[in-house]
Every structure is written in structure tokens, then in C-alpha cells.
Amino acid sequence: MRVVLQRSKQASVEVDGTTVGAIDHGLVLLVGVTHDDTEKDAKWLADKIAGLRIFEDDAGKMNLSIQDVGGSILSISQFTLYGDCRNGKRPNFMAAARPEPAEALYDRFNALLRDAGLHVETGRFGAMMDVSLVNWGPVTLILDSPSSNQAPNS
């Protein structure tokens, strides 16, 4: 699994002009699933994200997690994270998981974040979405689960 994580002051997602998810401060997660991902990958990423210390403490050091600051998560499914642009001018999405298993693992990932005590809003799987956010910092990180066989920009 691959997640592009952005620290955000506020974020929302619309489908067909209707807001389906919105948060105040927290994290926006763009979540991609590849063929060999399992619940183990989802659990590893959920645990990593819940404890990742990327919010400033009183001394200005990135020393606090989303749990520490009472933030929320806006999780957006995004198969294009597994787009391969190395050949030609059109991305190849063969590394992205098929919709049925990808949606099930994406839903499980969000449930694991909720199990960690986090408030999670989502977009709508497979829909065309308009995502708005105020990137705070900016702070943007790319996380790959340990069993992911592709590194970013590979």
C-alpha cells in the first residue's frame, strides 16, 4: 500500500458538488492499493500514521502525533498512486489493485484508523472527487508499507 500524507489545517472532498467528507486540522491521506497488499499492510500503515510525530510541540519540534493534537483524517482512495510513467506519455496503472479487493482493503485501513481512536472522514471509492485542502507547513510525506514491491518514483 502507498499513502501520500499531507498535514492540513482544513480539508474537504466533494462528489457531484456535494461535500461527502470534511475535517478541520489533521491529515489528508491519498491511499493506493496494489495487487499483493494484505491486511498486514493496512495495519502497518494505520499504526504508523496514528503514531507519526509530525505536529509541532511547544518548542516548535515535530514531536506530536495526530492523536496528541486531537486531529482528524480525511482519507481518499487514489489508484493513480500506482501509475507508472516511465514509458510513453500515458501512465500505466497495471500495478493498481482491481477495484473490489482495493475497496475492501481501503475500508479495512480506515476501520483500523478508527480503531486507533481517530476520527476518519472519507471520499467515495471510485468516484470523481474534488479534494480541497490547506497544506499546513507544508508537510507532505510518502509512506509505503514494508511489503510494497514498488518504491515511489520507481
Side-chain angles (χ1 to χ4, degrees):
M1 289 181 75
R2 177 170 295 155
V3 173
V4 174
L5 172 154
Q6 294 181 304
R7 195 174 69 176
S8 179
K9 288 187 176 181
Q10 64 186 28
S12 63
V13 58
E14 292 183 359
V15 176
D16 295 327
T18 301
T19 299
V20 296
I23 63 168
D24 288 323
H25 72 287
L27 301 173
V28 174
L29 308 178
L30 305 177
V31 182
V33 178
T34 191
H35 303 289
D36 55 353
D37 288 335
T38 66
E39 183 167 343
K40 183 178 177 182
D41 297 289
K43 178 158 181 30
W44 186 90
L45 278 168
D47 290 344
K48 176 66 80 174
I49 290 165
L52 199 60
R53 299 182 326 178
I54 59 170
F55 293 89
E56 283 87 9
D57 61 16
D58 291 337
K61 302 277 187 203
M62 280 189 177
N63 204 25
L64 301 174
S65 72
I66 188 166
Q67 294 171 319
D68 296 329
V69 300
S72 299
I73 288 178
L74 179 61
S75 176
I76 307 294
S77 63
Q78 190 167 359
F79 78 95
T80 60
L81 294 180
Y82 280 101
D84 183 348
C85 298
R86 292 176 290 183
N87 297 316
K89 301 290 184 185
R90 186 168 32 142
N92 174 329
F93 298 108
M94 297 301 292
R98 306 247 339 125
E100 298 79 16
E103 183 174 12
L105 196 54
Y106 169 72
D107 289 343
R108 182 64 185 136
F109 169 73
N110 292 323
L112 289 162
L113 290 168
R114 289 182 183 107
D115 290 348
L118 295 166
H119 176 78
V120 179
E121 297 273 327
T122 65
R124 189 169 302 145
F125 189 93
M128 288 296 296
M129 296 177 270
D130 295 326
V131 180
S132 300
L133 75 139
V134 176
N135 192 320
W136 183 7
V139 173
T140 302
L141 300 168
I142 301 171
L143 303 168
D144 282 299
S145 60
S147 63
S148 178
N149 62 4
Q150 292 189 359
N153 302 320
S154 61

